[in-house]
Amino acid sequence: MLSVTDRPILDFLTAELSATSSDPLYRQLENALKQAIATAHVKRGGVIPSERVLSQVLGLSRVTVRKAIDGLVSDGFLDRRQGAKTVVSSRLEKSLATMTSFSEDMRSRGLEPGCTWISREISRPSPSEMMALGISGSEKVVRLRRLRTADGVPIAIEMATLPARFVPEPQAVGDSLYDYLERNGALPVRALQRMQAKPGTEEERRLLDAPDDASLLIMERRCFLADGQIVEFTQTKYRGDVYDFVIELMR
């Protein structure tokens, strides 16, 4: 028997599978389920219809359905839970091969990015900020500290430091810093990044609603304009229990 929540995703999958494709049926179902996740027809942590229901409604064999789900579990899109339930994985992945903003990352996964501002200030730079941004002590910097969310769930704490000449009015920055920089002709075109893991402080765990023993994945990024100026130095602390970093290697 179908549940009320099954019908929308089943209608979506039926429409997706009706398109002509030369791919094997299990691969078509894999792609349709990926699209359903990306377009939020089923939310992260949400339960997908059972293999039996998928087989009956979509007219596919149980072997085909199971192979498609096995592939998505292996790739990290789905998780199997006790009670024969299969849910959309709550973990998020970020590629290290492309320079994208937090907002772009979340929207590409069908999630609504958001932020809660912690502080916005203009100040003299610290010695480490002077080195990171390549500026002198006489130049002012803007520090933007905020809690980043996806569909309202805390994901990361972000501290962005920029020369004040690029952000003369910190209060004008909305949810997306990169949208602001693009509007003002200062969107970075390349970046250098490094990553490390550290235990979270009590305040950081509280802000992120993370377990007491949670480690944080810390990404430091220096961003450059086309003329070589350093426009941004950002330290982002991600919840290690919900975020994975992925890089493609080729030989």
Side-chain angles (χ1 to χ4, degrees), residues 12-82:
F12 178 85
L13 294 175
T14 299
E16 288 290 305
L17 292 173
S18 66
T20 303
S21 174
S22 59
D23 290 338
L25 287 174
Y26 81 90
R27 186 69 70 186
Q28 292 182 45
L29 180 55
E30 274 190 32
N31 292 334
L33 283 166
K34 285 181 184 179
Q35 189 64 19
I37 295 169
T39 55
H41 281 78
V42 56
K43 297 284 188 179
R44 291 192 176 273
V47 180
I48 69 168
S50 67
E51 290 182 7
R52 178 183 59 80
V53 169
L54 289 171
S55 175
Q56 290 177 350
V57 174
L58 301 178
L60 301 173
S61 71
R62 290 286 291 269
V63 172
T64 296
V65 172
R66 186 172 298 115
K67 189 171 183 179
I69 291 176
D70 285 346
L72 293 173
V73 170
S74 178
D75 289 343
F77 287 92
L78 298 175
D79 293 325
R80 285 196 172 92
R81 299 283 174 83
Q82 290 183 345

Side-chain angles (χ1 to χ4, degrees), residues 217-247:
L217 297 173
I218 302 174
M219 178 70 72
E220 292 185 347
R221 175 189 284 188
R222 287 198 303 157
C223 297
F224 300 80
L225 300 180
D227 62 6
Q229 292 186 81
I230 303 173
V231 64
E232 174 197 8
F233 172 67
T234 293
Q235 184 184 75
T236 308
K237 299 181 178 182
Y238 296 90
R239 279 186 58 171
D241 59 331
V242 299
Y243 223 96
D244 292 326
F245 289 92
V246 178
I247 186 168

Side-chain angles (χ1 to χ4, degrees), residues 99-194:
M99 188 176 72
T100 54
S101 70
F102 180 91
S103 296
E104 291 169 331
D105 288 339
M106 295 304 103
R107 290 195 180 104
S108 72
R109 291 160 176 79
L111 303 172
E112 183 59 32
C115 79
T116 300
W117 285 100
I118 300 172
S119 62
R120 298 186 238 203
E121 62 181 25
I122 298 179
S123 178
R124 295 292 182 187
S126 67
S128 61
E129 290 169 337
M130 290 166 55
M131 292 185 62
L133 295 170
I135 60 176
S136 69
S138 62
E139 187 169 353
K140 290 185 177 181
V141 296
V142 168
R143 298 190 190 97
L144 306 172
R145 188 167 184 246
R146 52 196 173 153
L147 180 67
R148 305 311 308 267
T149 63
D151 280 352
V153 177
I155 298 295
I157 301 168
E158 183 179 272
M159 167 70 91
T161 306
L162 305 90
R165 65 182 183 274
F166 294 117
V167 190
E169 299 181 19
Q171 299 300 323
V173 178
D175 284 357
S176 174
L177 173 61
Y178 278 23
D179 284 351
Y180 174 91
L181 293 176
E182 184 174 20
R183 291 195 303 271
N184 290 274
L187 186 67
V189 297
R190 69 182 183 91
L192 296 175
Q193 296 186 142
R194 73 172 185 173

